[in-house]
Amino acid sequence: MASHKHILVPTDGSRLSLKAAKEAASLAKDLKARITAVYVIPPWSPPLQDESSIMYSAVYNEAAYRKATEAHAGKILDKIVAAAAAAKVRCDKVVVSNGHAWEGIIQAARKAKCDLIVMASHGRGGLGGVLLGSETQKVLTHSKTPVLVCR
């Protein structure tokens, strides 16, 4: 088996993604690898309005959206950094903007030259998995980088 040296850990802030991050940190420690944690935010989309409504632009603008989402992402990514630090593993943080989380994850893995993606699966099966779609399933389907799925 190839020895992995750079592991991408996507997170959505859920308990399961933190569990996957801890697994990735343990694996990284054993392999003497490093981690890049990634959080994908959707791009800015102005609120819909009709000609009779007035939007207060100081509240609903791209700069405010970017600041708020990046602050939120930073708090979530800090949990992954803490999990890596507990395992004495180096961890970088990346925030990616993409309309599809799975595309942002693959983009981040490619850009950071990661050789493994470790991510959580919420384990929705049957009709729930089909209707809701699974970001993990889409990463598995489209990624050329190996993926380790944790539950």
Side-chain angles (χ1 to χ4, degrees):
M1 178 169 100
S3 180
H4 300 289
K5 295 295 175 197
H6 193 179
I7 302 170
L8 185 79
V9 180
T11 183
D12 60 3
S14 68
R15 197 176 90 258
L16 282 173
S17 66
L18 182 57
K19 182 180 174 189
K22 290 176 181 177
E23 290 289 334
S26 177
L27 179 62
K29 181 178 181 177
D30 291 345
L31 296 174
K32 296 177 179 41
R34 64 189 174 108
I35 290 174
T36 295
V38 63
Y39 185 88
V40 181
I41 59 173
W44 160 252
S45 178
L48 297 176
Q49 59 185 342
D50 63 24
E51 56 278 345
S52 66
S53 65
I54 299 172
M55 301 298 285
Y56 183 61
S57 64
V59 176
Y60 298 107
N61 65 49
E62 187 171 359
Y65 170 80
R66 179 63 104 179
K67 184 178 178 182
T69 55
E70 287 181 358
H72 177 72
K75 288 178 186 175
I76 290 171
L77 289 170
D78 285 345
K79 293 178 184 179
I80 308 304
V81 171
K88 295 181 173 48
V89 172
R90 178 179 153 203
C91 182
D92 298 318
K93 302 187 293 186
V94 175
V95 176
V96 174
S97 179
N98 195 300
H100 301 283
W102 66 270
E103 285 180 341
I105 293 165
I106 293 171
Q107 170 191 353
R110 195 176 309 123
K111 187 173 181 180
K113 297 183 178 160
C114 295
D115 51 20
L116 179 66
I117 300 170
V118 175
M119 63 188 302
S121 172
H122 292 279
R124 290 183 193 101
L127 190 57
V130 172
L131 292 177
L132 296 173
S134 166
E135 298 305 316
T136 304
Q137 181 63 40
K138 291 173 187 165
V139 171
L140 284 166
T141 302
H142 298 283
S143 179
K144 293 182 181 171
T145 304
V147 181
L148 174 63
V149 179
C150 301
R151 281 199 186 180

